[in-house]
């Protein structure tokens, strides 16, 4: 197979990479660009740990060809924070104890971030549905759901909401 | 306890920041200069003699750097106990399950490595394979391991005496059999290992593990190099759940390839390999015979359990014992006899898992519910009549010092409204309760204790060294929280060096639920010792007695006159100027009965503390589809003392998901001729966010006299009791006591149908009689 050169726009920066046409976006991110925040847990589109954004929409990088992503704005977990400053969602995950082993966390954050951009005040059912494609084996999801719900709307009666408005 | 600054607070975890930023490095993320890709060739046969392996074509393939087979291993065998060493890291004579390791390859890239695997020619002679443990046990001739007659790998026999006499005295006796299939961990992170030999010929290894010291010793033995030359390195870990506790053949193969090539090698398992070739839970068939008095007190119990042990043993003796031990800790019994058999079959390797023995545990509780039903008492009453009490000895002679089992029952009952709901719910709507107990530690001989070292840096910050590993449960935070509390520092002042065998002392690992109790304890003692040194120096400056001092917020101050203080940083600098060291060590060794042995002598003090948990679950069953909707789970556990309620709640919730929701409703393996047909996430159903019910967490504290701040195991008692609570609730909803786990829709529908047919027959019989 012939290698080809493409440009990927990731986290606001262009990256030139030489790839095989059948390379997945996940492999290119992890192996060629050292963006190892996106994880591979199942490799077949089930677990959501490889979730990244393409033009603001969550996609599974393990099922996406790098070539398909050429014209899109790609965002990975590494692009969520503004330098050292975490996003509200990231901070909320920390404050609410939503991170245990952390392997599902990047994918969870990307799915949740996409949801909050579309619907800043989702109810619990909406959150659970939006995260139904992301598998977590550690947390039982309760604290993740809470972290997402409270990220945009800190609750006075929540002892873990640090940044109350 | 109220004068603590950090202990007992909902302190967010120190490791979370790197994880939410995608910066935390897991093994598969590592890239070392010159690193090769390793792959393992596995047996396609369940049982076959290996006649010949020809690697010449694979070796000739450009890009292939090394091929290893059983010939390169010098026949080393692995097993946790000397008497369970039955597994070669690469098989030489026979393959014993589909997936058994037969060769390894290191190549420039993955594609080449995979092509090389195909080019390795293995000549097999297929042997008759056995997949059913009962069949395996019945066979004298078809042996999976030559020296194990009837394929019995382990037989644990426990007998307190008087069992027959007490059955004689019993008012009511029942005997029931329960079955459960195998389940898998499905860790988020597939297994991976990176190995290299450094410039000093030290073996460096990165891999997910539940105890780095459990990895270094077997590697040192197999490579015949001193322990100090095996460096298991710290790395982020994507879950363990009872697995990853010991060496994996891939560790050895990876290291062997690294040795042969002189390059770093990385092996990353596929999801299927993670399911088949790490470990799985045991399938089991358990018969409980229980005799009670008129009130429902257990006078005698005889439990017999047959476990499908798969191809190899390793932790077999522990696996065969733990289901029984959890029961004998949770419940009082006048007398008991246990016969546990772990039987070899030609199926993948099995080990300890978070809900170890779900069939056994759910059997005990289902049968209690049956007995209660017969006696006309409710499930709560029968549990309270038999529940473990503080000051008791278990049947195998472990003293139980702290125990708030009853409080967990009462609180869960109250919160869930069990009493109001029991017997009053509409059809196909049910509620169930489970209670269980988990050990805080196993007897582990010289590896039973943990030691910690603390050094102060001249800027007043401290480095804490501990062998404790974090698989995701929050152990690192626990260590930092304890050290910062005791040293009077802020969490960000502590630099933790842990789970690295080069710098940290031996530690029991996290798989026996002992990290806080032993490892956390060691850090606490080291920090107290270090603080004592600082106080001596500070006392001179402040002109008071060291006993009058306390430390908080980077200051050492006089307790009765907090204005009188000195910064810790200054004390460190004064100490150094006065030639006084500001380092300290501390260690903790639980007082267990060193003579207790899993098979030969299963009596004596097992561990210093036990946790106790109750889970109550409410469900609705759809009688048309057999689907279960879980409405609410209420989980209460006696954790001794809650060091960090935020982390504890996460452990409870994760336990309800894996033990109850997944463990009882969807998670199990299916087989065809020894081949696991659902090894991937696509076909093995783990719980999703949309499946989970509301969970009520209730933390109960009994302040264990030996635990650090009174803390002991936290979370596992919920995983166990959740399984029991789920099964009780479904049984209650459909009005049939279920005996085969997990409770999948097909089984639920069959039970409903059978009940309806029975009722119809009865009605017809009544009618005929009436005529
Ligand atoms: S790795 Fe992409 S969905 Fe699982
Ligand atoms: S935190 Fe471990 S899988 Fe989600």
């Amino acid at each position: 197979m012939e290698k080809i050169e493409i440009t990927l726009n990731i986290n606001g920066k262009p990256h030139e990479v030489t790839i095989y046409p059948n390379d997945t976006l996940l492999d290119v991110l992890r192996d060629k660009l050292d963006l190892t925040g996106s994880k591979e847990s199942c490799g077949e589109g089930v677990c959501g740990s490889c979730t990244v954004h393409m033009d603001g929409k969550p996609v599974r990088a393990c099922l996406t060809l790098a070539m398909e992503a050429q014209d899109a704005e790609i965002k990975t977990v590494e692009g969520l924070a503004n330098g050292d400053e975490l996003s509200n969602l990231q901070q909320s995950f920390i404050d609410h104890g939503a991170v245990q082993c952390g392997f599902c966390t990047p994918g969870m954050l990307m799915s949740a971030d996409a949801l909050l951009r579309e619907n800043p005040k989702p109810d619990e059912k909406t959150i659970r549905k939006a995260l139904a494609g992301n598998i977590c084996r550690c947390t039982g999801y309760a604290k993740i759901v809470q972290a997402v719900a409270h990220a945009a709307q800190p609750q006075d009666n929540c002892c873990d909401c640090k940044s109350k408005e | 306890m109220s004068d603590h600054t950090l202990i007992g607070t909902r302190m967010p975890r120190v490791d979370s920041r790197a994880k939410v930023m995608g910066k935390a490095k897991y093994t598969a993320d590592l890239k070392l200069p010159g690193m090769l890709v390793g792959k393992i060739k596995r047996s396609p046969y369940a049982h076959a003699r290996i006649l010949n392996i020809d690697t010449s074509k694979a070796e000739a393939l450009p890009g292939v750097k090394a091929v290893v087979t059983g010939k390169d291993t010098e026949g080393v065998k692995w097993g946790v106990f000397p008497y369970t060493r039955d597994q070669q890291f690469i098989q030489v004579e026979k393959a014993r399950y589909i997936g058994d390791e037969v060769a390894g390859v290191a190549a420039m890239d993955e594609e080449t490595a995979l092509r090389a695997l195909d080019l390795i020619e293995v000549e097999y002679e297929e042997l008759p394979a056995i997949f059913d443990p009962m069949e395996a046990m019945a066979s004298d001739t078809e042996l999976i391991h030559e020296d194990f007659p009837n394929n019995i790998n382990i037989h644990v026999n426990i007998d307190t005496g008087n069992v027959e006499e007490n059955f004689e005295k019993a008012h009511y006796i029942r005997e029931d059999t329960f079955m459960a299939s195998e389940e898998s961990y499905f860790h988020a992170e597939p297994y991976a290992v990176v190995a290299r030999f450094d410039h000093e010929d030290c073996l460096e290894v990165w891999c997910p593990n539940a105890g780095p010291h459990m990895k270094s010793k077997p590697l040192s033995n197999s490579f015949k190099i001193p322990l100090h030359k095996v460096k298991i390195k710290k790395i982020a870990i994507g879950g363990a759940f009872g697995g990853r506790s010991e060496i994996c053949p891939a560790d050895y193969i990876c290291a062997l390839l690294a040795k042969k090539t002189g390059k770093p090698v990385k092996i990353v398992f596929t999801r299927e390999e993670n399911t088949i070739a790490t470990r799985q839970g045991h399938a089991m068939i358990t018969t409980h015979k229980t005799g009670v008095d008129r009130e429902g007190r257990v006078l005698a119990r005889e439990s017999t359990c047959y476990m499908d042990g798969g191809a190899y043993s390793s932790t077999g003796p522990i696996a065969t014992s733990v289901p029984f031990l959890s029961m004998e800790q949770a419940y009082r019994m006048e007398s008991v006899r246990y016969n546990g058999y772990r039987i070899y079959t030609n199926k993948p390797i099995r080990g300890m898992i978070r809900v170890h023995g779900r069939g056994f545990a759910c059997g005990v509780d289902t049968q209690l519910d049956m007995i209660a039903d017969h006696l006309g008492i409710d499930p709560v009453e029968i549990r309270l009549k038999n529940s473990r009490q503080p000051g008791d000895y278990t049947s195998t002679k472990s003293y139980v010092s702290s125990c708030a089992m009853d409080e967990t029952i009462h609180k869960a009952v109250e919160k869930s409204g069990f009493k109001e709901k029991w017997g009053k719910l509409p059809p196909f709507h049910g509620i169930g309760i489970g209670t269980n107990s988990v050990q805080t530690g196993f007897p582990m001989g010289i590896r039973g204790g943990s030691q910690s070292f603390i050094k102060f840096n001249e800027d007043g910050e401290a480095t804490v060294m501990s062998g404790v590993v974090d698989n995701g449960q929050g152990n690192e935070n626990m260590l930092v929280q304890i050290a910062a509390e005791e040293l009077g520092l802020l969490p960000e002042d502590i630099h933790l060096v842990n789970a690295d065998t080069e710098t940290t002392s031996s530690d029991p690992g996290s798989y026996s639920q002992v990290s806080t109790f032993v490892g956390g304890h060691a850090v606490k003692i080291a920090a107290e010792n270090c603080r004592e040194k600082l106080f001596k120096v500070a006392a001179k400056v402040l002109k008071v007695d060291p006993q009058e001092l306390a430390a908080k917020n980077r200051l050492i101050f006089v307790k009765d006159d907090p204005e009188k203080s000195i910064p810790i940083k200054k004390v460190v600098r004064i100490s150094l100027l006065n030639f006084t060291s500001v380092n300290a060590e501390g260690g903790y060794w639980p007082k267990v009965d060193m003579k207790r042995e899993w098979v030969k002598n299963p009596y004596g003090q097992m561990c210093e503390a036990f946790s106790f948990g109750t889970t109550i679950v409410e469900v609705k069953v759809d009688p048309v589809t057999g689907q279960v909707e879980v409405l609410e789970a209420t989980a209460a556990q006696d954790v001794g003392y809650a060091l960090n309620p935020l982390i504890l709640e996460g452990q409870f919730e994760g336990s309800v998901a894996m033990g109850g929701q997944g463990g009882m409703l969807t998670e199990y393996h299916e087989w065809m001729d020894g081949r696991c047909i659902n090894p991937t996430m696509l076909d093995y159903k783990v719980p999703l966010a949309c499946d989970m019910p509301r969970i009520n967490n209730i933390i109960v504290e009994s302040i264990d006299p030996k635990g650090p701040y009174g803390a002991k195991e936290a979370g596992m008692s919920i995983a166990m009791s959740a399984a029991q609570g789920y099964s009780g609730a479904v049984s209650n909803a459909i009005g049939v006591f279920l005996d085969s786990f997990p409770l999948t829709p097909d089984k639920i529908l069959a039970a409903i149908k059978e009940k309806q047919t029975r009722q119809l027959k009865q009605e017809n019989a009544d009618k005929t009689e009436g005529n």
Side-chain angles (χ1 to χ4, degrees), chain B residues 63-332:
Chain B
V64 171
K65 300 295 168 189
V67 179
V68 293
T69 66
K71 279 192 206 135
D72 301 280
T73 68
E74 298 175 27
V76 282
K77 284 189 175 179
W78 165 243
V80 167
F81 301 92
Y83 61 93
T84 64
R85 279 189 195 142
D86 58 7
Q87 181 178 14
Q88 287 181 321
F89 294 123
I90 309 179
Q91 299 313 318
V92 180
E93 290 154 13
K94 284 215 286 191
R96 293 180 178 86
Y97 76 95
I98 297 176
D100 216 344
E101 291 79 7
V102 290
V105 165
M108 294 300 287
D109 53 40
E110 188 176 2
E111 212 185 313
T112 312
L114 287 172
R115 278 180 55 206
L117 287 191
D118 286 341
L119 292 174
I120 299 174
E121 288 167 1
V122 189
E123 217 180 300
Y124 293 101
E125 175 199 329
E126 240 192 296
L127 298 169
I130 320 181
F131 308 120
D132 178 64
M134 303 316 276
E135 240 173 69
M137 205 165 154
S139 175
D140 298 325
T141 48
E142 275 155 30
L143 298 182
I144 295 168
H145 293 269
E146 291 307 319
D147 33 1
F148 288 84
N150 296 93
N151 293 305
I152 299 173
N153 160 227
I154 297 289
H155 174 203
V156 173
N157 172 249
I158 290 165
D159 197 334
T160 61
N162 297 336
V163 175
E164 260 71 48
E165 291 88 320
N166 280 324
F167 271 125
E168 296 267 305
K169 279 194 244 161
H171 161 71
Y172 178 60
I173 300 174
R174 280 200 69 98
E175 184 172 326
D176 303 281
T177 298
F178 301 90
M179 326 257 290
S181 354
E182 298 85 353
E183 72 267 55
S184 277
Y185 312 98
F186 274 80
H187 319 94
E189 178 198 17
Y191 196 78
V193 50
V194 171
R196 83 164 158 204
F197 281 84
D198 71 7
H199 60 286
E200 290 176 320
D201 291 332
C202 292
L203 170 58
E204 294 180 302
V205 178
W206 295 259
C207 61
N209 65 81
H213 299 275
M214 276 296 284
K215 295 265 190 188
S216 56
K217 186 67 171 88
L219 283 170
S220 134
N221 288 353
S222 2
F223 283 98
K224 301 194 176 62
I225 50 177
L227 207 43
H228 72 262
K229 281 194 174 280
V230 182
K231 304 177 183 175
I232 308 295
K233 311 286 268 186
K234 155 80 172 287
I235 189 86
I237 295 168
F241 313 121
R244 303 180 166 179
S245 64
E246 54 183 313
I247 190 169
C248 171
D251 304 342
Y252 178 84
I253 294 172
C254 194
L256 197 59
L257 289 167
K259 192 173 173 185
K260 223 171 159 176
T261 58
K263 301 259 187 201
V265 178
K266 173 157 85 176
I267 296 178
V268 180
F269 274 19
T270 61
R271 177 51 61 184
E272 183 172 0
E273 280 180 300
N274 195 69
T275 303
I276 302 299
T278 60
R279 287 189 182 274
Q280 307 176 335
H282 295 65
M284 41 186 101
I285 304 168
T286 313
T287 301
H288 294 299
K289 179 179 170 190
T290 304
V292 295
D293 66 12
R294 272 170 206 288
E295 275 77 50
R297 250 175 241 106
V298 176
L299 298 179
R301 180 172 283 146
E302 173 154 27
S303 298
T304 310
C305 185
Y306 301 97
M307 301 186 182
D308 184 339
Y312 300 103
S313 183
S314 196
T315 55
I318 308 179
T320 316
S321 310
V322 166
F324 169 82
L325 296 175
S326 291
M327 169 186 77
E328 68 137 11
Q329 291 154 206
Y331 294 119
R332 288 174 155 180

Side-chain angles (χ1 to χ4, degrees), chain B residues 488-507:
Chain B
L489 294 177
L490 305 182
E492 55 265 40
D493 302 337
I494 305 288
H495 175 65
L496 181 68
V497 175
N498 69 309
D500 172 300
T501 59
E502 184 180 17
T503 49
T504 69
S505 293
S506 174
D507 175 87

Side-chain angles (χ1 to χ4, degrees), chain B residues 533-548:
Chain B
K533 286 188 175 176
L534 295 176
F535 278 9
K536 255 193 209 157
V537 176
K540 271 194 201 147
V541 181
L542 297 171
K543 301 197 177 53
V544 290
D545 197 81
Q547 259 121 47
E548 293 171 50

Side-chain angles (χ1 to χ4, degrees), chain B residues 320-362:
Chain B
T320 316
S321 310
V322 166
F324 169 82
L325 296 175
S326 291
M327 169 186 77
E328 68 137 11
Q329 291 154 206
Y331 294 119
R332 288 174 155 180
M333 295 168 284
E334 285 273 302
S335 55
V336 65
R337 181 184 301 135
Y338 174 58
N339 278 294
Y341 300 91
R342 189 179 186 276
I343 304 147
Y344 286 124
T345 61
N346 292 113
K347 281 158 87 182
I349 51 176
R350 276 83 202 271
M352 302 296 296
I353 195 163
R354 199 169 189 177
V355 185
H356 186 71
R358 56 181 170 170
F360 190 109
C362 294

Side-chain angles (χ1 to χ4, degrees), chain B residues 362-382:
Chain B
C362 294
V364 173
D365 267 36
T366 302
Q367 196 183 50
L368 272 186
D369 290 348
M370 291 168 158
I371 293 169
D373 191 48
H374 175 85
L375 297 178
I377 58 178
D378 75 34
V380 175
E381 241 175 284
I382 197 159

Side-chain angles (χ1 to χ4, degrees), chain A residues 100-102 104 136-139, chain B residues 188:
Chain A
Q100 290 192 24
C101 82
C104 72
C136 174
R137 283 299 265 170
C138 301
T139 64

